[in-house]
Amino acid sequence: VIGVVIGKTDVRSFPDRKNIGAERFTFSFTIRDSPTYFINVQSWGREEYIRSLSESFRVGDCVTIENPLIQSKEAEREEKFNPVTPSGYKLLLSENHSVVKTSSCYDTDTRLLSLLHLPVKDPQDYYSLGDIVANGQSLHGRVLNVLAAVMAVSE
C-alpha cells in the first residue's frame, strides 16, 4: 500500500496482559491514497521497534507499507481514538513481517500531496465556530465535528 500520512498519534504504552510487569507499545497513523479512500494503520510491539518506526516518518510523508495484516475494525471502540474511515478494515503492522518505507511524495506520486488538504469528514457534517457560539446550549454534551482554521500560534 502506498499513501500519504494524513494523521499520526504519539507512542503509548500499556501493561502486557501476557507478561505481567512488562509493557507493550503502540502508535497509529492514517494514510490516504485517493480523495475517497484512507485507512488507519496500527502497530504494536517492543518499545525500540515502535519508537524507531514512529520517528521514521511524519504527517505529510509518503509511505509504502509491505506485508500488513488486514483486520476488520471494531468501529465503536476504535473510532473513538482514530479518524472514522470509509473502510471496514484497518492495517496492522508486525515487527517480524511488515515493512514501512518512507519516500518523498515527489518521487512517488505528486498527486498524493494534494490529498493532505482534503477533509476526512463529509462536508455536510461540520459545525462552524459561529454555529457553536450561536447554538451552544442546544449542543451541550454532544460530540461535534468542527471545521476551523488556525489564525495564529504563539507561546
Side-chain angles (χ1 to χ4, degrees):
V1 177
I2 298 173
V4 62
V5 177
I6 61 170
K8 184 176 164 190
T9 67
D10 292 330
V11 171
R12 296 174 292 162
S13 66
F14 296 92
D16 189 336
R17 292 182 198 151
K18 294 178 184 172
N19 299 319
I20 304 304
E23 290 184 297
R24 291 182 70 202
F25 287 77
T26 185
F27 85 102
S28 59
F29 58 101
T30 305
I31 63 168
R32 186 176 219 161
D33 67 357
S34 73
T36 310
Y37 296 105
F38 48 97
I39 194 165
N40 291 320
V41 183
Q42 189 163 35
S43 184
W44 288 87
R46 297 176 306 113
E47 181 176 11
E48 301 80 26
Y49 167 70
I50 295 299
R51 290 201 186 280
S52 174
L53 182 59
S54 176
E55 292 168 3
S56 70
F57 61 88
R58 60 181 190 236
V59 171
D61 287 345
C62 288
V63 294
T64 301
I65 300 173
E66 298 175 359
N67 297 324
L69 177 65
I70 300 168
Q71 191 174 60
S72 296
K73 67 181 177 184
E74 299 169 39
E76 282 195 21
R77 193 178 107 215
E78 293 179 33
E79 292 180 345
K80 284 183 183 177
F81 307 106
N82 294 303
V84 176
T85 63
S87 171
Y89 302 95
K90 64 180 178 181
L91 302 180
L92 290 177
L93 300 181
S94 157
E95 182 173 2
N96 297 326
H97 302 289
S98 307
V99 176
V100 178
K101 298 177 184 173
T102 308
S103 61
S104 163
C105 287
Y106 290 108
D107 296 340
T108 309
D109 187 345
T110 55
R111 291 176 298 172
L112 291 175
L113 282 175
S114 65
L115 302 176
L116 272 172
H117 306 291
L118 294 178
V120 294
K121 289 290 209 171
D122 178 343
Q124 306 305 315
D125 192 24
Y126 288 110
Y127 282 83
S128 70
L129 295 177
D131 291 339
I132 294 169
V133 169
N135 302 302
Q137 289 292 16
S138 64
L139 300 173
H140 183 73
R142 291 185 52 202
V143 175
L144 305 174
N145 295 314
V146 178
L147 181 59
V150 176
M151 292 179 56
V153 177
S154 63
E155 291 184 25

